[in-house]
Amino acid sequence: MSKDSSPREAGGALDTKIATEVASSARSALSAKAARFTESVIREMTRLAMKHGAVNLSQGFPDFAAPEEIKEAARRAISQDFNQYAITWGAKSLRDAIARKFEATQGVSVDPEREITVCCGSTEAMMAAMMAVINPGDEVVIFEPFYENYGPDTILSGAAPRFVRLQPPDWTFDPAELAAAFGPRTKAIILNTPNNPTGKVFSRAELEFIRDLCVRWNAFAITDEIYEHILYDGTRHISIASLEGMRDRAITINSLSKTYSVTGWRVGWAIASPEVSFPIRKVHDFLTVGAAAPLQEAGALALTMPDSYYHGLAEEYLRRRTRLLEILTKAGFVCFKPAGAYYIMTDISRFGFRNDVEFARHLVETIGVAVVPGSSFYNDPADGARQVRFTFCKRDETLEAAATRLEKLHV
Ligand SMILES: Cc1ncc(COP(=O)(O)O)c(C=O)c1O
């Protein structure tokens, strides 16, 4: 059954003292919107990992080097004095490269002059897109479990979320439940494929079903595709923008972060029709003016990497997936094998802890491994109380260190 409710309120899992204090004072004096969500649990887990000297398998950032040629391109751009504001909606070189790559990989031809907005990461692109299309009272459909940013994104843009469950082990959705979540007030569906945290890759049939609902209810598909190249077992990534009828309904969001292992660069983008790009560009302009100019130049080079680069990336992650699945299975976790992205959702029922937060605390403080509690991916924390998420975008040594520490964990 789809639920009509607001995202996780402050006071949920792993709140810090500061978050609690801010939340209570905010109710009177500060923004009521900001008081309605907590700090990021994922980012908090990284801070806890550092505090306890734990192996960090929580936040999805690589602990290995970024490709040398991309780093060299960034250094060169600074030396060549790409050091002032780029064009607000993105350096021409990067927009041209994005358009070429989207056409080459998905067969969708877009106008880089009017349909691409470069932002500070896909995080800003998602927020700018939401603020550009949402009006008060609009509803947004979100698959659950969801990447935790989408909760605050809906609150800050003023949307009312309608959650639709992805069911393990394959993370399929019930078509009737999805259809029931759409209605006259639906403005958009947020789609994330390949998916964080489940590793689900939406199939063509599923995307066509979603497409039909978008067309029927005149809704946008805002689609986060930042793991597009991290795929396993012959799975293919399909952009919903490439389906008939979706060219002008899709807002396709992507970034350099995961594909090129540069999460700290903060360069992402939104591809949308000219009518939708126009307000996205305005919102983006007044949020951030623009992404880092030299890193956009380096991004233009990154997007010309040969196919062998993307194959190598997927192969490396396949190796890491295999190893982390072995480690976790041996330690007693029930693993949901991902078809894409670089996370493994696990069931922790066997360990006998009261909930995911208590278990994650035990792991980081006593065992020395940081993970993300499952509740941070659900509107109602109780729904994620039997799950935790691990990431494997880490060096072999990091995974082996986690393996050694997890030997202390008892089922
Ligand atoms: C699904 C998803 N979207 C967006 C982001 C953030 O991406 P960016 O670094 O481009 O802002 C992440 C980071 O983990 C993610 O998993």
Side-chain angles (χ1 to χ4, degrees), residues 42-43 59-61 120-126 146-150 191-197 224-227 253-258 262-269 341-343 389:
I42 298 176
R43 268 87 74 190
Q59 197 177 356
F61 62 85
C120 296
S122 63
T123 300
E124 193 223 337
M126 177 62 74
F146 53 84
Y147 174 55
E148 64 168 358
N149 282 28
Y150 304 152
L191 198 61
N192 171 214
T193 182
N195 185 262
N196 171 10
D224 176 340
E225 305 186 359
I226 68 167
Y227 298 102
I253 288 172
N254 212 320
S255 102
L256 299 181
S257 288
K258 312 291 177 170
V262 287
T263 59
W265 281 19
R266 317 306 308 128
V267 179
W269 54 88
Y342 50 47
Y343 305 97
R389 187 201 76 176

Side-chain angles (χ1 to χ4, degrees), residues 42 45 127 180 245 285 318 322:
I42 298 176
M45 286 312 302
M127 182 61 81
D285 190 3
L318 174 64
T322 305

